[in-house]
Amino acid sequence: MKKILIADDDGVFGSNLSEILRREGFLVQSVGSTMDAIHITTQESFDIILLDMLMPGAAREKTTTCLRRVNRAVKIISMTVCPASSYTYSTIKHQSDACITKPFGIHNLLGAIDDVGQQSENNMNRWPHDPSHKMIREMPTTVTAACS
């Protein structure tokens, strides 16, 4: 059974999505901030993180970098309301394993979860040593402390 962390500052959305994913057979936890997501991943292991990319807190790319430092094998699915922006392309290419645009149907989300679950571990084994995987190395003190 896959364990999923939902990190979204919209509490109603996070709660509803948690309930839907539980009904689909996943173990689910939900947090409301980037710092809470980083903190809980230092305490527990997750297979997949559903990460709202427009939450207040640490910069998006620094959050994904920190989450990967805590658990290199975690799959991150970015959730965003900005599908056509250059930022979304950067997220898909450099920070996350997949990106899904809000609002989305549950079947689209389940498809993304299935897709990242089937991705080859070879991609993660390259990080952070492969220069083609451009992860940001410098992080603010608060994020670095949480990742230590």
Side-chain angles (χ1 to χ4, degrees), residues 27-143:
L27 296 173
V28 182
Q29 279 194 260
S30 184
V31 295
S33 73
T34 56
M35 293 309 296
D36 288 344
I38 292 166
H39 177 74
I40 197 166
T41 58
T42 64
Q43 308 295 314
E44 298 181 44
S45 181
F46 294 90
D47 300 301
I48 297 171
I49 298 174
L50 302 177
L51 181 64
D52 178 13
M53 297 309 286
L54 296 177
M55 278 194 298
R60 299 173 236 350
E61 54 279 333
K62 294 183 188 320
T63 300
T64 55
T65 299
C66 187
L67 292 169
R68 296 235 193 255
R69 283 188 179 178
V70 173
N71 179 354
R72 286 182 46 182
V74 71
K75 301 297 183 182
I76 299 174
I77 299 175
S78 297
M79 301 182 295
T80 182
V81 295
C82 305
S85 72
S86 61
Y87 172 73
T88 302
Y89 175 77
S90 172
T91 298
I92 294 169
K93 187 171 180 186
H94 298 292
Q95 298 171 13
S96 302
D97 298 289
C99 184
I100 189 164
T101 304
K102 292 178 178 179
F104 50 79
I106 190 61
H107 296 294
N108 292 340
L109 177 60
L110 293 173
I113 290 170
D114 188 50
D115 288 347
V116 298
Q118 293 179 20
Q119 287 177 0
S120 168
E121 286 298 315
N122 292 336
N123 291 336
M124 287 310 298
N125 290 337
R126 292 186 335 195
W127 182 87
H129 307 292
D130 183 342
S132 70
H133 204 297
K134 299 175 182 163
M135 300 302 280
I136 295 172
R137 308 240 186 259
E138 296 80 30
M139 297 176 5
T141 306
T142 55
V143 175

